[in-house]
Amino acid sequence: METLDRKALAGLLDRPALRSLLEVYNSRGEETRIVGGAVRNALLRRPVTEVDCTTTMLPDAIAERAKKAGFKAVPTGIDHGTITVIVDGEPFEVTTLREDVETDGRHAVVHFGRDFGLDARRRDFTINALSLGFDGQLYDYTDGVSDLASRRVRFIGDAHTRIREDYLRIMRFFRFHAEYAEGDPDPEGLAASGAERDGLAILSKERIRHELLRLVVARRAEDTIRILADHGFLTGLLGGAAEFGRFNRLASVDREGPVPVWRLAALAVMVEEDAERLRERLRLSNDEDKKLSAYARLLTLLKTWALPLDAAAMRRLAADHDIEMLDVVLAAVAGEPFPIVHVDALEALTRFRSGAEPVPVFPLRGADLVEGGVPKGPKIGEMLAQARQAWLAEGCRTDEDYAKDLLRRVLEQG
Ligand code: ATP
Ligand code: MG
């Protein structure tokens, strides 16, 4: 218990916008509490980024009171009874208390209720079911406090039953274990997850994607990914091979600001086909897909780079590739036999990353060629591409004399 910070709960209730909200929603026979992640994280002294509330009020009443109080109400999940209430620019999800009446492994039919205990027991893990009253009272219907104190992620009730209600809870079990637990996963939860593994197949790709991308950046992602593999989950999730070494090396240097898509790349992308498969399997966004494909191409390029990478090579790479990605790929392959990377190359990369040295930018534009007498048209693009090749081969110089000379040469060659 001493590892939990009960005073932080008071701090949570001192937030002015949240106070205003709770004042409005705790009157005239209605009760509204803070629930879930905010309470859990406050007790752990972890940052509280979003605050969810549950209430005895029905969605219409939530919206109506918001309007009267001058808050903005956005019906974000009206079927589920969720309204986002914005107070002084800060959004809060306010959800009517619910009870599950029917589940099919991926959806639940819910009834609105007025019982905080029942609402807590339909949640997934004991540490996610705590609620905090406006008066500062902490409610714990499922022994969440003791599990939180001993850093244990446990299903509420029988793990098999809870997983069969919603197979996504398998993914969430590992995600929350990775983020909040110490020691091994709860044996009952682990065994039930393994036994119910095939159920993951009925879930939507979007839901899997969401949990997987959060899992790969969780605090203990490395250990947990290993557990996923050891228990036969990983191949099914990724649809291909995993590179633990690269994942672990990246995780050992990006801990301050891990980026989900780069972690996924290090783990699961070896060639461009991997990127294509993952896009499809996980319904990745265009931006994520582009990043994975670019990672694959750069990885292939570096693995087949004939010479050791020196500062000049790094300059060329920086001119042609996203610096952040270059850093990611090099972190992932560090220690592998190829590429061979010289210290001065890494130093150059650090200078580019910090801005101490500007990333070289190709100095010619189409307009320069037009001015030099080349008629507008496809020829311009071809000439620029040729000039760019020369520029890369000649060390990516950006000084004016060089640029003038390069222009003269392309114009001469026509
Ligand atoms: P995070 O900080 O990671 O967002 P969180 O606790 O807010 O943590 P969410 O995924 O946002 O996690 O879910 C909010 C709450 O809703 C959870 O704390 C949990 O009580 C409940 N919950 C979410 N998904 C499920 C689910 N599939 N089954 C049961 N309860 C769930
Ligand atoms: Mg949340």
mmCIF file of all heavy atoms in Angstrom, residues 83-98:
data_model
loop_
_atom_site.group_PDB
_atom_site.id
_atom_site.type_symbol
_atom_site.label_atom_id
_atom_site.label_comp_id
_atom_site.label_asym_id
_atom_site.label_seq_id
_atom_site.Cartn_x
_atom_site.Cartn_y
_atom_site.Cartn_z
ATOM 1 N N ILE A 83 -20.528 10.636 -23.688
ATOM 2 C CA ILE A 83 -20.538 12.011 -24.190
ATOM 3 C C ILE A 83 -19.221 12.656 -23.770
ATOM 4 O O ILE A 83 -18.798 12.521 -22.624
ATOM 5 C CB ILE A 83 -21.738 12.789 -23.590
ATOM 6 C CG1 ILE A 83 -23.013 12.074 -24.012
ATOM 7 C CG2 ILE A 83 -21.686 14.252 -23.996
ATOM 8 C CD1 ILE A 83 -24.216 12.930 -24.187
ATOM 9 N N THR A 84 -18.567 13.304 -24.717
ATOM 10 C CA THR A 84 -17.358 14.040 -24.346
ATOM 11 C C THR A 84 -17.775 15.443 -23.930
ATOM 12 O O THR A 84 -18.401 16.161 -24.700
ATOM 13 C CB THR A 84 -16.375 14.091 -25.525
ATOM 14 O OG1 THR A 84 -16.043 12.753 -25.892
ATOM 15 C CG2 THR A 84 -15.098 14.829 -25.128
ATOM 16 N N VAL A 85 -17.470 15.774 -22.694
ATOM 17 C CA VAL A 85 -17.834 17.086 -22.172
ATOM 18 C C VAL A 85 -16.561 17.924 -22.089
ATOM 19 O O VAL A 85 -15.564 17.487 -21.501
ATOM 20 C CB VAL A 85 -18.486 16.962 -20.778
ATOM 21 C CG1 VAL A 85 -18.861 18.339 -20.238
ATOM 22 C CG2 VAL A 85 -19.722 16.073 -20.844
ATOM 23 N N ILE A 86 -16.601 19.093 -22.712
ATOM 24 C CA ILE A 86 -15.401 19.927 -22.743
ATOM 25 C C ILE A 86 -15.565 21.113 -21.799
ATOM 26 O O ILE A 86 -16.485 21.916 -21.938
ATOM 27 C CB ILE A 86 -15.117 20.401 -24.182
ATOM 28 C CG1 ILE A 86 -14.923 19.161 -25.069
ATOM 29 C CG2 ILE A 86 -13.872 21.282 -24.228
ATOM 30 C CD1 ILE A 86 -15.062 19.434 -26.542
ATOM 31 N N VAL A 87 -14.691 21.163 -20.809
ATOM 32 C CA VAL A 87 -14.745 22.219 -19.801
ATOM 33 C C VAL A 87 -13.444 23.012 -19.885
ATOM 34 O O VAL A 87 -12.368 22.433 -19.720
ATOM 35 C CB VAL A 87 -14.890 21.618 -18.381
ATOM 36 C CG1 VAL A 87 -15.052 22.725 -17.348
ATOM 37 C CG2 VAL A 87 -16.051 20.642 -18.309
ATOM 38 N N ASP A 88 -13.560 24.299 -20.121
ATOM 39 C CA ASP A 88 -12.368 25.151 -20.285
ATOM 40 C C ASP A 88 -11.347 24.520 -21.239
ATOM 41 O O ASP A 88 -10.149 24.484 -20.950
ATOM 42 C CB ASP A 88 -11.672 25.400 -18.933
ATOM 43 C CG ASP A 88 -12.569 26.167 -17.977
ATOM 44 O OD1 ASP A 88 -13.479 26.871 -18.473
ATOM 45 O OD2 ASP A 88 -12.374 26.051 -16.752
ATOM 46 N N GLY A 89 -11.836 23.987 -22.334
ATOM 47 C CA GLY A 89 -10.948 23.416 -23.343
ATOM 48 C C GLY A 89 -10.457 22.011 -23.032
ATOM 49 O O GLY A 89 -9.775 21.396 -23.845
ATOM 50 N N GLU A 90 -10.788 21.494 -21.860
ATOM 51 C CA GLU A 90 -10.300 20.158 -21.503
ATOM 52 C C GLU A 90 -11.418 19.127 -21.677
ATOM 53 O O GLU A 90 -12.496 19.283 -21.101
ATOM 54 C CB GLU A 90 -9.818 20.178 -20.044
ATOM 55 C CG GLU A 90 -8.812 19.090 -19.749
ATOM 56 C CD GLU A 90 -8.404 19.079 -18.268
ATOM 57 O OE1 GLU A 90 -8.316 20.161 -17.651
ATOM 58 O OE2 GLU A 90 -8.199 17.988 -17.746
ATOM 59 N N PRO A 91 -11.161 18.064 -22.469
ATOM 60 C CA PRO A 91 -12.223 17.085 -22.703
ATOM 61 C C PRO A 91 -12.283 15.995 -21.625
ATOM 62 O O PRO A 91 -11.254 15.513 -21.151
ATOM 63 C CB PRO A 91 -11.824 16.461 -24.049
ATOM 64 C CG PRO A 91 -10.339 16.601 -24.112
ATOM 65 C CD PRO A 91 -9.949 17.785 -23.251
ATOM 66 N N PHE A 92 -13.483 15.619 -21.253
ATOM 67 C CA PHE A 92 -13.704 14.502 -20.326
ATOM 68 C C PHE A 92 -14.738 13.569 -20.942
ATOM 69 O O PHE A 92 -15.736 14.041 -21.462
ATOM 70 C CB PHE A 92 -14.236 15.006 -18.984
ATOM 71 C CG PHE A 92 -13.303 15.968 -18.300
ATOM 72 C CD1 PHE A 92 -13.468 17.348 -18.461
ATOM 73 C CD2 PHE A 92 -12.254 15.506 -17.521
ATOM 74 C CE1 PHE A 92 -12.592 18.242 -17.856
ATOM 75 C CE2 PHE A 92 -11.376 16.390 -16.913
ATOM 76 C CZ PHE A 92 -11.544 17.763 -17.076
ATOM 77 N N GLU A 93 -14.472 12.277 -20.874
ATOM 78 C CA GLU A 93 -15.478 11.322 -21.352
ATOM 79 C C GLU A 93 -16.394 10.988 -20.202
ATOM 80 O O GLU A 93 -15.947 10.465 -19.176
ATOM 81 C CB GLU A 93 -14.811 10.050 -21.868
ATOM 82 C CG GLU A 93 -14.083 10.240 -23.166
ATOM 83 C CD GLU A 93 -14.135 9.006 -24.059
ATOM 84 O OE1 GLU A 93 -14.269 7.884 -23.528
ATOM 85 O OE2 GLU A 93 -14.048 9.191 -25.286
ATOM 86 N N VAL A 94 -17.658 11.299 -20.374
ATOM 87 C CA VAL A 94 -18.624 10.996 -19.330
ATOM 88 C C VAL A 94 -19.552 9.907 -19.861
ATOM 89 O O VAL A 94 -20.178 10.067 -20.902
ATOM 90 C CB VAL A 94 -19.426 12.261 -18.950
ATOM 91 C CG1 VAL A 94 -20.384 11.941 -17.810
ATOM 92 C CG2 VAL A 94 -18.480 13.397 -18.557
ATOM 93 N N THR A 95 -19.596 8.782 -19.148
ATOM 94 C CA THR A 95 -20.325 7.608 -19.631
ATOM 95 C C THR A 95 -21.351 7.157 -18.607
ATOM 96 O O THR A 95 -21.042 7.062 -17.415
ATOM 97 C CB THR A 95 -19.338 6.448 -19.904
ATOM 98 O OG1 THR A 95 -18.339 6.901 -20.807
ATOM 99 C CG2 THR A 95 -20.045 5.250 -20.511
ATOM 100 N N THR A 96 -22.538 6.879 -19.084
ATOM 101 C CA THR A 96 -23.582 6.363 -18.198
ATOM 102 C C THR A 96 -23.181 4.975 -17.680
ATOM 103 O O THR A 96 -22.626 4.171 -18.425
ATOM 104 C CB THR A 96 -24.917 6.254 -18.968
ATOM 105 O OG1 THR A 96 -25.185 7.520 -19.578
ATOM 106 C CG2 THR A 96 -26.054 5.873 -18.046
ATOM 107 N N LEU A 97 -23.448 4.707 -16.415
ATOM 108 C CA LEU A 97 -23.170 3.393 -15.824
ATOM 109 C C LEU A 97 -23.819 2.297 -16.656
ATOM 110 O O LEU A 97 -24.925 2.466 -17.164
ATOM 111 C CB LEU A 97 -23.729 3.335 -14.397
ATOM 112 C CG LEU A 97 -22.952 4.128 -13.342
ATOM 113 C CD1 LEU A 97 -23.808 4.300 -12.096
ATOM 114 C CD2 LEU A 97 -21.644 3.436 -13.016
ATOM 115 N N ARG A 98 -23.100 1.205 -16.808
ATOM 116 C CA ARG A 98 -23.590 0.155 -17.702
ATOM 117 C C ARG A 98 -23.533 -1.216 -17.062
ATOM 118 O O ARG A 98 -22.767 -1.468 -16.150
ATOM 119 C CB ARG A 98 -22.747 0.137 -18.978
ATOM 120 C CG ARG A 98 -22.959 1.341 -19.824
ATOM 121 C CD ARG A 98 -22.021 1.362 -20.989
ATOM 122 N NE ARG A 98 -20.634 1.451 -20.575
ATOM 123 C CZ ARG A 98 -19.629 1.553 -21.427
ATOM 124 N NH1 ARG A 98 -19.849 1.558 -22.713
ATOM 125 N NH2 ARG A 98 -18.406 1.650 -20.985
#
